[in-house]
Amino acid sequence: MRHIAPIFKREFLGYFRSPVAYVFLVAFLVISVSLAFSRYGAFFRAGVASMESYFTFFPWLFMFLVPAVGMRLWSEEKRSGTVELLFTLPVTTLEAVLGKFLAGWAFLAIAVLLSFPMALTVGYLGSPDWGVVVTTYLGAILMAGGYLGVCTLMSAMTKNQVISFVLSLAACAVLLFLGFSSFTETLEGLLPLALADALANFSFITHFDAFTKGIIDPKDVIFFLSLMGFTLFLNVVVLER
Amino acid sequence: MIEVKGLVKTYGHKRAVDGVTFTVKRGDILGFLGPNGAGKSTTMKMITGFLRPNAGKATVDGIDVAEAPVAVKGKIGYLPESAPAYPEMTVEEFLGFIAEIRGFRTAESRRAPVDRAINLTHLAPVRKQSVETLSKGFKQRVGLAQALLHDPPVLVLDEPTDGLDPNQKNEVRSLIKSMAVEKAVILSTHILEEVDAVCNRVIIISQGKVVVDETPEQLRARQPGARLDEIFRNLTRGDI
């Protein structure tokens, strides 16, 4: 496990050594903030000192933006041949997978936390419930990890970044839509009720919702952590194949 | 040092490597020759633990690659074909990263091996330059520097002189020769004179099988007076 650190460091700094990091961070913050102030977010019209109108778009934003971060993790290594270099260094597949995943996750966490001026704005305009703000940030970061786990897995399956992006987007979309009643109702028509219910439990939205209300339910935390664990396990399997 | 027994690698129904067996002792420089697609790189990838063989086994310093891949990888310096490196890193950062993974944990302990590798491969003028801006010759030398960094007992070099100009080729050859005394070296090449110039053993591989395993002198003696490429052509006719 002691090789995780150098791999993490290389991958994490790798975002900042290329324009990827700056383009991503600026795009993410501009889009997320403008959505909150848009007519759909209704930040001012709501007249409430909360960040709900900011975070409500996160599951949607992540569906597009996390695949953009995750698609390069393995595809780029495979395309450029550095994967051969990496796996002939004395590291295990698990160390490489964890190092890379944690780097991507840390980067996403930074992106989420850089929205702090929004929190300051809310704090300046009113007196928000800071507990709720903190749990929402925690939920957003956990959710980013869940999305990223799915995306790294897709990235490990192909050396083509476009395919990796599209697969990730599709997988993330399914995990997102599972939470909508119209979608689950269709499922209930097709599948036994118990199975449809179980599937609906896999939605990001359902598990993120509680955080935005200030609740840290162990069930939700475990959902995101086990989703990461499971996708990373599959990631190792795919790479060792 | 390196023992390879009956290695087989199949892709679909094609046997890329078909029962390759040989040993390399300390002090040996083994030249790996063969037409493109004969199975040279695949064999090297199995020795270095990147690919898993379908049958047979490779041991390095008595350790089975399949059983303890990490231990074996620690003993090998490997230059993959076309010398891949992370393009956005500078030469120094890249070698520092390799050194850190190779067990030089602190910045201080990394300095000596990185400087040594840079000096050996004459990378000093580009050490602050990012890898993607380097010419092919420099990139190749970065790959070589990365392989030599931890002074490994075993070197596996896939076309080490590819992309170098004649002077650089000469220099890399003498570098390999000078280090080989206490190492076991495998190098693959297309250049037949290279075998004459550096190797003390030659293996020619054709259609995944070893067809020749002898000294360069013995290879020449097969057809006295003939040029090496004529001998090579006769031996690997099946691949054409």
Side-chain angles (χ1 to χ4, degrees):
Chain A
M1 288 298 125
R2 58 202 180 84
H3 293 120
I4 294 178
I7 293 173
F8 172 90
K9 209 165 74 184
R10 195 206 67 73
E11 192 69 40
F12 184 77
L13 294 176
Y15 286 108
F16 294 94
R17 286 188 182 117
S18 66
V20 175
Y22 306 101
V23 171
F24 180 88
L25 290 175
V26 169
F28 173 76
L29 293 170
V30 166
I31 297 173
S32 64
V33 172
S34 25
L35 277 172
F37 286 112
S38 74
R39 125 163 64 151
Y40 308 102
F43 179 74
F44 287 122
R45 223 182 323 152
V48 182
S50 89
M51 295 188 73
E52 203 187 330
S53 56
Y54 179 67
F55 279 110
T56 181
F57 295 103
F58 266 45
W60 298 94
L61 266 180
F62 279 177
M63 184 175 91
F64 292 99
L65 290 178
V66 178
V69 170
M71 66 179 188
R72 62 190 281 279
L73 282 175
W74 292 107
S75 301
E76 196 168 271
E77 296 251 358
K78 287 186 164 188
R79 168 63 42 102
S80 68
T82 44
V83 69
E84 189 173 346
L85 183 80
L86 182 61
F87 285 131
T88 49
L89 291 169
V91 297
T92 63
T93 313
L94 180 65
E95 287 171 331
V97 165
L98 282 178
K100 275 174 163 287
F101 171 79
L102 290 175
W105 196 16
F107 177 67
L108 285 170
I110 285 180
V112 171
L113 292 175
L114 277 180
S115 68
F116 71 92
M118 276 303 281
L120 295 182
T121 310
V122 173
Y124 175 74
L125 292 173
S127 47
D129 182 340
W130 290 109
V132 174
V133 172
V134 169
T135 58
T136 312
Y137 268 106
L138 179 71
I141 289 170
L142 277 172
M143 182 168 65
Y147 272 98
L148 187 66
V150 174
C151 298
T152 45
L153 174 60
M154 297 302 160
S155 177
M157 295 203 276
T158 171
K159 61 175 162 192
N160 187 316
Q161 291 203 32
V162 176
I163 294 178
S164 160
F165 179 80
V166 173
L167 285 178
S168 304
L169 187 65
C172 291
V174 170
L175 283 168
L176 180 65
F177 285 118
L178 279 175
F180 288 96
S181 50
S182 53
F183 197 78
T184 37
E185 272 160 27
T186 322
L187 276 182
E188 277 164 16
L190 294 169
L191 300 168
L193 200 60
L195 189 60
D197 264 3
L199 277 176
N201 266 327
F202 279 98
S203 168
F204 287 124
I205 296 239
T206 340
H207 292 281
F208 180 53
D209 253 6
F211 286 103
T212 62
K213 298 192 168 62
I215 305 160
I216 303 179
D217 188 338
K219 179 172 99 223
D220 299 325
V221 177
I222 289 169
F223 167 76
F224 286 122
L225 291 180
S226 56
L227 179 66
M228 289 179 232
F230 181 63
T231 47
L232 292 179
F233 164 74
L234 287 181
N235 203 328
V236 172
V237 172
V238 166
L239 287 169
E240 284 193 339
R241 185 181 42 144
Chain B
M1 282 301 271
I2 308 170
E3 224 171 303
V4 173
K5 238 184 240 156
L7 275 190
V8 175
K9 183 73 193 175
T10 54
Y11 291 115
H13 54 269
K14 189 179 173 269
R15 284 170 99 90
V17 174
D18 192 359
V20 166
T21 300
F22 62 85
T23 56
V24 187
K25 293 191 300 290
R26 198 180 288 270
D28 269 356
I29 306 181
L30 173 72
F32 225 41
L33 285 176
N36 282 329
K40 302 186 298 279
S41 292
T42 310
T43 307
M44 291 180 149
K45 283 175 189 174
M46 287 191 281
I47 295 171
T48 52
F50 182 63
L51 291 178
R52 215 170 297 164
N54 297 93
K57 73 172 188 177
T59 57
V60 174
D61 208 3
I63 309 167
D64 190 334
V65 178
E67 272 165 26
V70 173
V72 168
K73 287 167 186 176
K75 288 182 186 295
I76 297 181
Y78 176 44
L79 170 67
E81 198 174 357
S82 73
Y86 294 104
E88 74 280 0
M89 297 177 107
T90 68
V91 171
E92 212 171 46
E93 285 166 349
F94 176 67
L95 294 176
F97 163 68
I98 300 286
E100 200 173 344
I101 286 206
R102 291 286 188 192
F104 303 94
R105 313 300 293 179
T106 62
E108 256 121 76
S109 67
R110 281 198 285 279
R111 198 167 308 136
V114 167
D115 283 346
R116 180 183 150 273
I118 284 179
N119 288 335
L120 277 175
T121 50
H122 304 283
L123 283 168
V126 296
R127 64 186 293 165
K128 303 264 183 222
Q129 217 170 306
S130 69
V131 173
E132 62 196 338
T133 63
L134 298 180
S135 67
K136 195 168 181 212
F138 272 123
K139 264 186 197 152
Q140 189 71 20
R141 282 188 269 169
V142 170
L144 199 59
Q146 161 275 124
L148 302 174
L149 191 116
H150 55 304
D151 198 16
V154 172
L155 274 176
V156 179
L157 309 171
D158 203 347
E159 300 186 12
T161 58
D162 188 41
L164 301 180
D165 67 36
N167 296 339
Q168 295 165 340
K169 275 192 173 117
N170 242 328
E171 206 168 308
V172 167
R173 283 175 198 158
S174 47
L175 175 65
I176 294 172
K177 252 183 153 166
S178 69
M179 289 187 308
V181 190
E182 65 244 48
K183 292 188 199 304
V185 182
I186 304 182
L187 65 91
S188 78
T189 177
H190 288 298
I191 307 157
L192 296 162
E193 315 91 74
E194 198 151 289
V195 172
D196 247 359
V198 264
C199 302
N200 58 9
R201 255 182 68 207
V202 191
I203 282 183
I204 296 181
I205 184 165
S206 170
Q207 293 183 318
K209 289 194 168 76
V210 173
V211 290
V212 167
D213 182 355
E214 55 201 18
T215 64
E217 292 74 37
Q218 286 166 321
L219 183 66
R220 275 195 181 286
R222 282 177 176 245
Q223 272 175 284
R227 292 204 317 274
L228 271 178
D229 55 344
E230 287 171 309
I231 302 173
F232 178 77
R233 204 176 318 135
N234 287 335
L235 286 165
T236 58
R237 204 162 274 170
D239 269 50
I240 302 163

